[in-house]
Amino acid sequence: MDKPAGLLLFSRERRGHVARPVCHMNNANPILINWRKEQKVFNQNLSLLQKKLEKEAIHDLRVAIKKLRAYLDLYSQLKKVTDPVEAGQQGLLDKTEELFDTIGRQRDVEICLEVLTSFKEETNYSYPQLTLYLQAVLKITKAWSNQEIHGYKNKETKKIAFVLKQDNEIENTGELNQNLQSIIRHSAGETKSKFKKPHLLRKNLKSVYYWINIVNDNSEYHPELLHNILDDLGNWQDKEIALQRIKHFRKDYLPKSFDEYNKLKELEQYIDEKKSMLIKAACNKTRKWIKTIPLS
């Protein structure tokens, strides 16, 4: 297959915010505009974290990376890249993905502590041993985050921005808008096959949510409803992360003779029930959302 010109240069969301269309200059590359916008958010939060590890900045940096990843994927689909190795796309965000993964370890522990705080109020039990364990693990993951943040060489996002800038074929035209919408509709149509895999369902819908910010008019995709679905799936994901780590702590570390052992078993069942409610609600809303959008 022919290799896309731009890619050959290489050898290798905070909840509560609803996506809005970005105003484009005439014939400007809309993917580049959105890439630069998110690149700025990425750089700002990276700079903040190099000075001090802040929970919100960790979250915002990871959201920025998710958006950059989605924009790169969208660009690849526009260029009809089916083989990332052949096209020279593989590894474009390798170091950034490593950063994402490492600071994600810290973020997961913070999510567990947040979820646990809410369950302490609901169950009227403090889970002292689990809390001590998570606080100890948080110190370790923060050290990993700090090491990765200061060792990260901020080159990859700049290189991709250069590729996007040099690609004269991607301009804000009616044809481009139609191609973007075709990709979005195809991805939305595939959503039905992911109802039994909530993590993949969330990942797919997030990409669509980020992509509709690029089209000239996103109203037909009902971003408010899609945001609401992602909120449910985000809550489901938080509880799934907490549940995995609670089970690991109880089974592998906590002595069975401790009162907290049975309390955690009860908590696990309680979390499972909450998760079931959230995924059922998210799937029902997604079915309704799919019916409201044009898939062809």
Side-chain angles (χ1 to χ4, degrees), residues 62-73:
R62 279 172 53 82
V63 171
I65 294 172
K66 288 177 185 178
K67 290 183 179 181
L68 292 171
R69 181 197 293 158
Y71 296 151
L72 180 59
D73 182 28

Side-chain angles (χ1 to χ4, degrees), residues 160-184:
I160 296 172
F162 180 75
V163 169
L164 294 172
K165 184 179 180 181
Q166 295 299 309
D167 192 337
N168 296 323
E169 295 178 3
I170 307 294
E171 294 184 347
N172 188 24
T173 62
E175 181 181 358
L176 173 64
N177 198 60
Q178 288 179 357
N179 290 336
L180 290 172
Q181 301 227 24
S182 177
I183 292 170
I184 290 170

Side-chain angles (χ1 to χ4, degrees), residues 32-80:
L32 175 60
I33 291 172
N34 283 272
W35 182 275
R36 283 177 168 167
K37 174 187 172 186
E38 215 51 49
Q39 188 181 8
K40 183 178 180 180
V41 174
F42 175 89
N43 292 337
Q44 287 173 340
N45 283 285
L46 180 64
S47 179
L48 285 172
L49 290 168
Q50 287 170 341
K51 297 173 184 174
K52 184 179 180 182
L53 284 181
E54 294 284 355
K55 184 166 65 173
E56 289 301 319
I58 288 283
H59 171 266
D60 291 347
L61 183 65
R62 279 172 53 82
V63 171
I65 294 172
K66 288 177 185 178
K67 290 183 179 181
L68 292 171
R69 181 197 293 158
Y71 296 151
L72 180 59
D73 182 28
L74 180 59
Y75 177 67
S76 299
Q77 292 192 49
L78 279 171
K79 305 297 289 187
K80 296 181 171 57

Side-chain angles (χ1 to χ4, degrees), residues 60-159:
D60 291 347
L61 183 65
R62 279 172 53 82
V63 171
I65 294 172
K66 288 177 185 178
K67 290 183 179 181
L68 292 171
R69 181 197 293 158
Y71 296 151
L72 180 59
D73 182 28
L74 180 59
Y75 177 67
S76 299
Q77 292 192 49
L78 279 171
K79 305 297 289 187
K80 296 181 171 57
V81 175
T82 56
D83 186 341
V85 177
E86 182 181 350
Q89 181 197 352
Q90 188 182 46
L92 295 186
L93 284 174
D94 268 2
K95 296 301 181 183
T96 307
E97 291 287 3
E98 289 175 8
L99 174 66
F100 179 85
D101 180 67
T102 302
I103 65 175
R105 307 302 173 97
Q106 175 186 336
R107 180 63 188 148
D108 284 352
V109 180
E110 289 170 342
I111 287 171
C112 289
L113 286 166
E114 291 169 7
V115 170
L116 190 61
T117 296
S118 66
F119 283 137
K120 285 178 182 179
E121 297 173 358
E122 293 177 34
T123 62
N124 199 29
Y125 187 78
S126 62
Y127 309 100
Q129 302 305 323
L130 176 61
T131 301
L132 285 172
Y133 168 76
L134 290 174
Q135 288 172 343
V137 174
L138 182 59
K139 290 181 181 179
I140 297 170
T141 56
K142 279 186 172 182
W144 293 344
S145 293
N146 192 57
Q147 178 179 316
E148 189 71 24
I149 287 164
H150 285 88
Y152 176 76
K153 306 300 181 184
N154 194 5
K155 297 178 180 179
E156 293 176 335
T157 63
K158 296 175 184 177
K159 288 182 179 179

Side-chain angles (χ1 to χ4, degrees), residues 184-185 188-189 220-222 288-296:
I184 290 170
R185 289 167 183 170
E220 65 181 345
Y221 297 104
H222 306 284
K288 293 178 181 178
W289 174 73
I290 292 173
K291 291 179 180 178
T292 66
I293 63 175
L295 294 180
S296 60

Side-chain angles (χ1 to χ4, degrees), residues 112-113 115-128 130-131 134 239 242-247 249-250 259-275:
C112 289
L113 286 166
V115 170
L116 190 61
T117 296
S118 66
F119 283 137
K120 285 178 182 179
E121 297 173 358
E122 293 177 34
T123 62
N124 199 29
Y125 187 78
S126 62
Y127 309 100
L130 176 61
T131 301
L134 290 174
K239 288 173 176 55
L243 182 60
Q244 289 177 3
R245 283 147 185 80
I246 290 170
K247 284 184 177 180
F249 170 71
R250 178 180 62 81
D259 290 341
E260 190 169 332
Y261 187 92
N262 287 325
K263 290 289 186 180
L264 287 178
K265 286 186 72 174
E266 293 173 5
L267 179 61
E268 289 162 23
Q269 183 177 353
Y270 184 57
I271 295 174
D272 261 329
E273 292 170 358
K274 292 281 188 180
K275 281 176 54 197

